[in-house]
Amino acid sequence: MAESLDNILVVDADGHVNEGDVDLASRLPEKWRFQAPIRLKDNQGYPRILLEGRIRSASQGPGPGVTGPFTEKARKRRPGMTDPVERLKDMDLEGIDVAVIFGTQIALTVNGLMSGELASALCHAVNEWLLEYCSADPKRLRAVGLIPSQAPQAAVKEIEYLAKAGATTVMLPTNVYGRNMGDTFFNPIYEAAEKIGMTLSVHPQTGHDGVPGVSGVMGAGSERFFKYVYVHMTAFPFELMIAMMHMMGEGIFDRYPRLKIAFMEGGANWLPSWVERFDEHIEKLAPQMPDLKRKPRDIARSGQLTISCESEESGLDRVLEFAGPGCVLYASDYCHWDCHFPYSVKDIVENRDLTLEQKKRVLGRNAIDFFQLKNLPEPRALSIARSHWEREGSLKEAAGA
């Protein structure tokens, strides 16, 4: 069974770069260069940025961003997060032919800035840099565009630019200043994305809570926790669940029937129970959501939404059975602390819950269809990675002999 997977094209639907490690000042309009992100370390030695007068992400107190201590299994940053040539080597090592690439430090911060104009300038600077990064191999490296969602009209202009520049999808936050993503405030973004044919990808974050209505991208429950482990456990899946629920309930998928939205990096196996729970609420509370025209389960099965999985996640067969064969995307999360580099593709290949056909879909076909990927490379990375896995296995056997 494993051998027959070598000829499939593996698409990583959610990998990352560290755009915050790049000097963006020269890419900003002169009036905003003094506000360029400043790289620094907090009192515990963890990397942070100073932006709009605030250290991001939060380090101490309630709702911290990435903070240790960590075990030896936590992954470290890799040069490929700023160097595309090194990234391509790592993709071969992991078994990835095509990577859909999100930002990190700026991408997960920018939608909480108070100034929409500064956010717009930073988004454009990051987009220019990421598109250049991806130009090292445009067949294999695919950019995720960044937009200032707190300034919808400026966001529309950036979506238009990104579509012309060849971005694969555009990132959305899970909320802006605590304003949920089903709010009509964001309708210009959805209208433009549908008209252009640009998919949107909702991505959560931690450590960027602010003042409701004024600043920040809130993390569900984050203000109640002082340890990063609890913040990360809750904010990533819970914020995706809230965003999906609100967008369904407020009619985004019905108002824009050709709009396609992905929900990234919060796991996938919660989807059936969450949608079923929403269906149950509609039976008695539907009048509170007059813009919802379909049952949530029908929206989940419509092809308008998809969700990325954790590589080691169980129960993916149940998600596929519930929402359809095209609803789950493989994602590596390269190379954040919680990824499983270089074994995330191996995890899916060896998943005992999935059939061969389901593995082919999750590893590549679903992403190709959802993002409408064109001009693809020949599949080769999985066979390269398999050689690495086999060599590693032989060394372990020899060491244990």
Side-chain angles (χ1 to χ4, degrees):
M1 177 184 290
E3 299 303 322
S4 61
L5 286 171
D6 283 357
N7 292 325
I8 70 166
L9 192 83
V10 176
V11 180
D12 173 10
D14 178 17
H16 290 270
V17 288
N18 273 346
E19 76 284 5
D21 293 347
V22 175
D23 181 13
L24 296 172
S26 62
R27 297 178 182 271
L28 292 172
E30 188 172 352
K31 66 175 289 188
W32 289 112
R33 286 178 187 169
F34 78 104
Q35 289 274 29
I38 297 174
R39 298 186 294 278
L40 46 77
K41 291 187 176 182
D42 65 15
N43 293 343
Q44 301 174 86
Y46 296 109
R48 295 293 189 261
I49 58 172
L50 178 66
L51 184 56
E52 207 175 44
R54 178 181 168 187
I55 293 177
R56 304 167 188 268
S57 59
S59 293
Q60 295 169 290
V66 180
T67 308
F70 300 95
T71 72
E72 70 281 356
K73 290 187 176 182
R75 282 0 187 211
K76 305 293 192 297
R77 297 183 179 200
R78 293 185 64 82
M81 296 186 78
T82 53
D83 182 341
V85 175
E86 293 300 315
R87 174 62 162 267
L88 291 165
K89 295 176 185 177
D90 281 349
M91 288 167 62
D92 286 343
L93 186 63
E94 192 151 20
I96 295 167
D97 292 294
V98 177
V100 179
I101 302 172
F102 291 74
T104 300
Q105 301 101 317
I106 309 303
L108 304 182
T109 302
V110 72
N111 282 285
L113 298 181
M114 294 181 288
S115 171
E117 190 176 353
L118 173 58
S120 299
L122 278 170
C123 286
H124 194 71
V126 170
N127 289 335
E128 284 188 334
W129 175 80
L130 183 54
L131 287 162
E132 288 181 10
Y133 174 101
C134 291
S135 70
D137 191 336
K139 288 187 176 183
R140 299 189 69 188
L141 305 175
R142 307 297 179 113
V144 176
L146 197 56
I147 59 171
S149 298
Q150 65 270 68
Q153 296 305 324
V156 169
K157 291 182 180 179
E158 196 66 17
I159 291 173
E160 293 170 347
Y161 160 75
L162 289 163
K164 292 178 181 177
T168 290
T169 185
V170 167
M171 187 191 127
L172 287 181
T174 55
N175 65 82
V176 175
Y177 308 166
R179 188 195 298 259
N180 292 309
M181 299 311 295
D183 197 293
T184 56
F185 177 80
F186 303 110
N187 280 356
I189 294 173
Y190 302 137
E191 182 178 353
E194 182 187 52
K195 181 180 179 180
I196 293 170
M198 176 68 75
T199 61
L200 302 175
S201 295
V202 181
H203 198 294
Q205 51 71 54
T206 57
H208 298 290
D209 298 83
V211 179
V214 178
S215 66
V217 178
M218 313 306 179
S222 293
E223 73 283 355
R224 297 163 55 189
F225 302 117
F226 286 69
K227 295 180 180 179
Y228 177 65
V229 57
Y230 302 130
V231 171
H232 189 265
M233 277 281 295
T234 55
F236 270 68
F238 292 175
E239 280 294 335
L240 284 186
M241 294 162 80
I242 292 169
M244 182 185 292
M245 172 190 69
H246 200 255
M247 295 169 92
M248 285 181 173
E250 295 304 304
I252 300 304
F253 292 98
D254 293 311
R255 192 174 304 121
Y256 305 104
R258 298 187 307 280
L259 181 64
K260 297 168 70 176
I261 303 177
F263 294 83
M264 317 303 282
E265 203 177 327
N269 59 26
W270 52 263
L271 181 66
S273 61
W274 188 240
V275 171
E276 286 175 352
R277 180 173 174 82
F278 201 9
D279 279 343
E280 292 169 3
H281 280 66
I282 286 170
E283 290 178 4
K284 298 177 178 67
L285 299 172
Q288 297 186 23
M289 296 167 286
D291 293 322
L292 177 60
K293 307 303 181 185
R294 290 175 287 169
K295 289 183 178 180
R297 71 175 59 214
D298 293 331
I299 297 173
R301 296 167 176 170
S302 68
Q304 281 186 268
L305 69 82
T306 191
I307 188 168
S308 73
C309 67
E310 304 293 311
S311 67
E312 299 170 279
E313 189 171 353
S314 63
L316 294 180
D317 55 328
R318 296 191 297 274
V319 181
L320 293 163
E321 181 181 355
F322 175 81
C327 71
V328 177
L329 309 177
Y330 153 74
S332 75
D333 195 31
Y334 174 94
C335 192
H336 286 170
W337 66 271
D338 55 332
C339 74
H340 199 210
F341 176 84
Y343 303 115
S344 64
V345 172
K346 188 172 186 282
D347 292 335
I348 302 294
V349 169
E350 297 180 350
N351 187 306
R352 295 183 179 181
D353 296 333
L354 299 176
T355 66
L356 178 62
E357 185 59 33
Q358 287 172 330
K359 291 176 183 179
K360 289 179 178 179
R361 278 189 162 274
V362 170
L363 282 170
R365 173 48 56 188
N366 288 348
I368 292 170
D369 292 345
F370 188 83
F371 294 121
Q372 296 183 315
L373 298 177
K374 309 293 184 185
N375 193 29
L376 294 165
E378 290 297 316
R380 56 186 288 273
L382 186 51
S383 60
I384 294 173
R386 189 183 302 284
S387 299
H388 167 73
W389 303 337
E390 291 172 352
R391 286 197 304 273
E392 190 176 65
S394 298
L395 290 173
K396 286 183 178 179
E397 286 182 8

